[in-house]
Structures are given as structure tokens and as C-alpha cells.
Amino acid sequence: MMKRVFAGLMLATCAVAIQAAPDPRKAPSPLPAPWQARTRELFKQVIETPSVEGRGQTQKVAKLLADQFRAAGIPESDIHIMPYDALPGDHTAALIVRWRSPKATKKPMLILGHMDVVEAKREDWKFDPFVFREQDGYFLGRGSSDMKNGDVATTMAAIKLMSEGFKPNRDIIFFYSGDEETRGVGATLGSTKWRNLTEAEFGLNADGGCMGFDEKFRNLGCAVSTAEKTFQTYFLTTRNPGGHSSRPRPDNAIYDLADALEKLRTHRFTPMLNPVSRAYFEQRAKQEGDNALGRNIRAWLADPNNGAAADAVEADPLEVGHTRTRCVATMLSGGHADNALPQSATATVNCRIMPGVEPKAVQAELQAMAGPKVEVKPDPNYIGESTPASPLRPDVFNAVTKAIRSLYGASTDVYPVMSTGASDGSFFRAKGIPVYDIDSSYGISPIDERAHGLDERVPVNAMYNDVVYWTMVYKSLAS
């Protein structure tokens, strides 16, 4: 459900207070060569395992990762491959591994990721999406940025530390689900039924990159997602007695639905600020300086009821979805024959709802907007749950800041952001475990924004640096 996004890439057009830098892709990685080779080999194996919904390959990815932990000394009793069904016919699995502390003085922390990827068709790509490639400073293949890179980096970082004799002072639990891209059944089970295996003080999500550079290689900083919008789909349906197409009625199910969708196109939910989005926009205001967007952001921060300023912020293509709940039509169906008046028409409308707003409230607003001729119902197979923002833990932000700046410069900004998407983290937040999206993998905006798209890729040294980054994070938060 969540695209792998480089959170910092949202700032790609900012020119104020961002200094130019050399091409980061050409910088040598501090990861030692033997560990680069091990990382590359595991990455190749997981990329070439097509863990797509319905193919039954996700358990193979789970075994590949489990084998790494097993070889490093994690006992069999602490390695769990958990089979389950997601969508009908999708026999998938989650992997849960516990790296135990010999003498824990802190509560466990949870590392989150997912092993499934979005389908990719060979005829659409320039190359086979499930054949690993290294080319022009990139690793390429489906899942290279969403998010098998995070799975491999979090695993290899732990294996490296184990080989060096590092003893964490808290248990570190790894949870990799098998259906994040579809229904999130694995995360639901992980946060409830399997809670005895995943109970933790907080979670760190590798499904959300925080670093980014623009095409002039300017450092755009690291935006740590600490809150997510709620994912909810609604069906807007109109009904009509229909009849023969030679005798049109004054009312028509398709026209009635079209009228409602035109209202949806122009509808704007009330803008909202929360502590996370306020912190994000305070940083954005500094970066934009005194241009029009910067002035509009400051006007809205000064007066959250200033709807005109919020509308102007939301109108910027970089800020769509950050000021309010947004809903958009994504699919249509209607009618049953070309010579018959339609008896029904349905639009699928996907909403990303601000934290703290209940899906029922959005349904009611959509119903009022659409009018009495339209029935608005939520997707019965997935009812979203509003999740609280994670508190801005100093230990997490200090660990991220120290690691990021050691790799990408002391002036790199680290700041919170609200994700406009949704991930497995939302399921754990809903059940009381705060989650932070902190993966360090970077890309060059906009040329590397290819998650769920064609010719997906990640810079080679971003992959290797991510292993180094996670080792530093583990040591900061577990020692």
C-alpha cells in the first residue's frame, strides 16, 4: 500500500539553504569490500525471487533471510517463518527473528520491513525485472528500492555486528511481512496474534527512505516519517431502473455518478496541522525562504485557520497531500450493455486520511458532498484505522542524525514528516508501538523515483552505505 519513497526527495526544487555537492553516487562506501560482496550476493538472490502476490515465492525470500541469521548463530527457536493467506490464493509468509541480548537493560526494539513486491511485466521493462543487474552505478530490479534493499541492509547490518562480537543491551526483533503491497494481513497478525513475538518499546521501519539529493546533487536532508495517513477505499454507487437505450431517461446512473465525481474533483477537506506536520512545514519554510511558497507556509503556520494559505501550500506539487485528507477516483465501472440504459455505476475512490480523523467521518463528508442519489460505502475487505503520530523520541532522532551525518555530511538536516502513504508501521502504531521510518537509502530526484514503476533501481553505494548506517543505528539504540 505504500510506495517506497525517498522522503527527502519531496524537496527537490528547493534552492534556498541547500549547498551543491559532488555526485554522491561516486563516493566510495565505508562498507568493507568483503561485506559489500556478501551484501551484493544476498541482494541478488532476493531480487531474483519474484515475491509477487499469487506467485508463492515470498517464503523463499523469508528462507534466504532466515538462513543469514541462522548462519550467524541465531538459534532455531528464535527464527519463525509464519505462513498465512493474504488475498484469496496468495499463500505468503512473514519472518520473525529475535536477536537476544545476553543481559537486557532496555525493552526490545522492532525492525520492520516487507518481502513482497508489486508485479512487474517483462514486456514493459527495458530488461527482465527479476534478473538482478548492476549498471552505471546502480543496482536494478523489481524491489531494489521498494524495499528489498531495506530487508537486506537491516539483515546484513545485524549479521556484521554479530560477527564482530557486538552484544546488544536489548533484544532486537526483525519482522518482515509478506503482503504489505496488498492487504497488510501479516502486519495485522504481527501486531495482534503474534504479539508475543513482536512486543517492543518502539519500531524502526526500513520501508521509508529518509535521504535524497536533487539532480545537482544538493543534499536535501533526511525526513523521518513519524506519522501516516489512514488508507481507506470507498465505493460510490448510483442505481437506476434503466431501460432501452433508444428511450433515454432524464436520470441516468452514469450521469449521476459523473456529477458526484465532478464534485469530488473540486472538493477540499479542511486543512489540519499536527505536531509532526508543523515540524515538517517549519523546516520547509526555512528551505523555501522568502519565495511565494515559503510565505504561504509561514502564513498558515501562524494561523492554521487561514484556509487560503493552506490551499496555496497544497497547490504546490511537492506538498499535495500534506495539508489535509485527500480522496481521488481511481477506477470506474457501470452499465451492462451498449444498447441498455445503465442500472448502476460505481466509482472506486481511494482516500488518504489525516491522523486522528476517523474513516466514518470522511465517509459522511463524501456522502454529504455526493448527495442523495449516490451511496457511499467503505471497502468491506479493508476498514482503515486511524493511528496516532509517534512521539519525537530524542534517542531515535539522535541515532539517525549521528549516522546520517557521518555518511552524508555534518550539515545534513534531519526532521520529522507525515507520510502521505501507508505501511506496515501503521498497524503497529494502532496497537501502541510507535514506529519511525528511518532507512537511509537515497536516490536522485526525480530520476530515481521508480518504486512500483519501470526500471526500478537504487545507487550501488546507497545500498552499501545503508548497511553501515543500520549498524550505527543498532549500536546507538542498543548499547
Side-chain angles (χ1 to χ4, degrees):
M1 295 187 296
M2 178 182 181
K3 288 185 177 179
R4 170 80 171 171
V5 294
F6 307 114
L9 303 189
M10 295 181 296
L11 315 181
T13 62
C14 302
V16 179
I18 302 176
Q19 296 181 354
D23 186 343
R25 298 168 296 183
K26 296 180 180 180
S29 173
L31 185 67
W35 285 98
Q36 290 188 20
R38 291 184 63 174
T39 298
R40 187 187 190 282
E41 178 56 27
L42 179 60
F43 199 26
K44 178 180 187 295
Q45 292 179 64
V46 298
I47 291 293
E48 294 188 345
T49 305
S51 49
V52 174
E53 179 234 322
R55 294 204 195 185
Q57 298 290 303
T58 306
Q59 290 196 39
K60 293 184 179 180
V61 178
K63 184 179 184 304
L64 286 168
L65 298 177
D67 286 346
Q68 295 291 324
F69 287 106
R70 189 177 291 112
I74 299 294
E76 204 65 39
S77 59
D78 285 328
I79 299 174
H80 307 274
I81 295 179
M82 313 289 283
Y84 65 94
D85 282 356
L87 289 175
D90 184 19
H91 307 306
T92 186
L95 173 64
I96 307 175
V97 176
R98 182 180 289 263
W99 179 10
R100 292 189 183 273
S101 168
K103 191 175 181 180
T105 59
K106 298 178 181 178
K107 294 179 181 179
M109 69 179 180
L110 181 66
I111 309 302
L112 295 172
H114 66 87
M115 301 175 290
D116 60 314
V117 296
V118 171
E119 182 63 271
K121 296 181 179 180
R122 174 64 188 90
E123 60 268 26
D124 295 336
W125 285 51
K126 296 177 182 176
F127 52 87
D128 189 329
F130 295 107
V131 173
F132 179 80
R133 293 168 63 92
E134 182 175 348
Q135 180 179 318
D136 301 328
Y138 284 89
F139 290 133
L140 300 99
R142 173 57 91 217
S144 56
S145 67
D146 186 12
M147 58 148 295
K148 289 181 175 179
N149 58 330
D151 298 334
V152 170
T154 51
T155 297
M156 293 307 298
I159 303 307
K160 185 174 185 296
L161 287 177
M162 291 177 203
S163 74
E164 295 168 355
F166 175 72
K167 307 294 184 185
N169 65 357
R170 67 189 338 146
D171 287 4
I172 302 177
I173 304 166
F174 301 84
F175 178 84
Y176 303 118
S177 71
D179 70 320
E180 191 271 352
E181 298 292 4
T182 53
R183 287 299 182 187
V185 174
T188 299
L189 292 169
S191 60
T192 55
K193 184 178 179 180
W194 302 333
R195 188 65 174 264
N196 62 309
L197 297 174
T198 63
E199 182 64 43
E201 183 178 352
F202 60 89
L204 304 177
N205 193 0
D207 186 18
C210 78
M211 271 303 298
F213 295 86
D214 70 8
E215 289 186 286
K216 294 182 179 180
F217 312 127
R218 292 176 297 194
N219 185 322
L220 303 174
C222 167
V224 176
S225 174
T226 61
E228 296 180 25
K229 284 185 162 184
T230 304
F231 177 101
Q232 183 63 62
T233 291
Y234 300 91
F235 300 118
L236 277 59
T237 302
T238 54
R239 294 183 174 84
N240 192 281
H244 201 286
S245 63
S246 66
R247 296 173 61 83
R249 299 170 55 93
D251 54 348
N252 181 294
I254 291 176
Y255 295 159
D256 290 343
L257 181 61
D259 290 342
L261 293 178
E262 176 58 23
K263 294 176 184 177
L264 176 66
R265 186 179 72 85
T266 58
H267 184 74
R268 292 293 179 268
F269 289 83
T270 301
M272 302 176 65
L273 275 172
N274 56 44
V276 174
S277 60
R278 176 174 285 278
Y280 166 75
F281 278 114
E282 287 173 349
Q283 180 68 25
R284 291 290 287 111
K286 293 177 183 178
Q287 292 173 323
E288 291 295 337
D290 195 39
N291 64 18
L293 179 57
R295 292 193 296 272
N296 286 323
I297 291 173
R298 282 188 288 276
W300 185 40
L301 290 172
D303 179 11
N305 295 318
N306 186 339
D311 288 348
V313 173
E314 179 80 10
D316 187 277
L318 296 176
E319 303 306 336
V320 173
H322 282 273
T323 70
R324 68 195 76 203
T325 294
R326 291 299 298 263
C327 296
V328 62
T330 56
M331 291 190 290
L332 282 172
S333 64
H336 59 284
D338 62 356
N339 59 352
L341 300 176
Q343 296 171 6
S344 67
T346 297
T348 299
V349 172
N350 183 248
C351 295
R352 306 302 175 113
I353 303 170
M354 290 289 284
V357 177
E358 292 298 325
K360 287 185 177 180
V362 173
Q363 179 183 345
E365 187 165 343
L366 289 174
Q367 185 66 75
M369 174 211 71
K373 294 182 179 180
V374 182
E375 176 189 72
V376 180
K377 295 291 185 182
D379 180 353
N381 296 313
Y382 184 86
I383 304 298
E385 184 175 1
S386 179
T387 62
S390 299
L392 305 182
R393 290 180 62 112
D395 56 348
V396 171
F397 274 81
N398 288 341
V400 171
T401 300
K402 181 180 178 181
I404 282 289
R405 289 181 174 174
S406 72
L407 290 167
Y408 300 112
S411 62
T412 303
D413 292 322
V414 177
Y415 49 93
V417 68
M418 176 191 67
S419 172
T420 58
S423 75
D424 283 345
S426 64
F427 296 86
F428 288 89
R429 282 194 186 99
K431 301 303 179 184
I433 298 179
V435 176
Y436 306 85
D437 299 356
I438 68 162
D439 193 70
S440 75
S441 297
Y442 71 83
I444 307 299
S445 178
I447 62 173
D448 292 339
E449 296 177 35
R450 303 184 183 191
H452 295 200
L454 298 176
D455 306 329
E456 187 178 348
R457 66 188 191 178
V458 65
V460 169
N461 82 335
M463 178 72 246
Y464 294 150
N465 286 359
D466 205 25
V467 177
V468 177
Y469 166 84
W470 279 102
T471 63
M472 290 188 282
V473 169
Y474 293 158
K475 291 177 75 171
S476 292
L477 293 170
S479 62

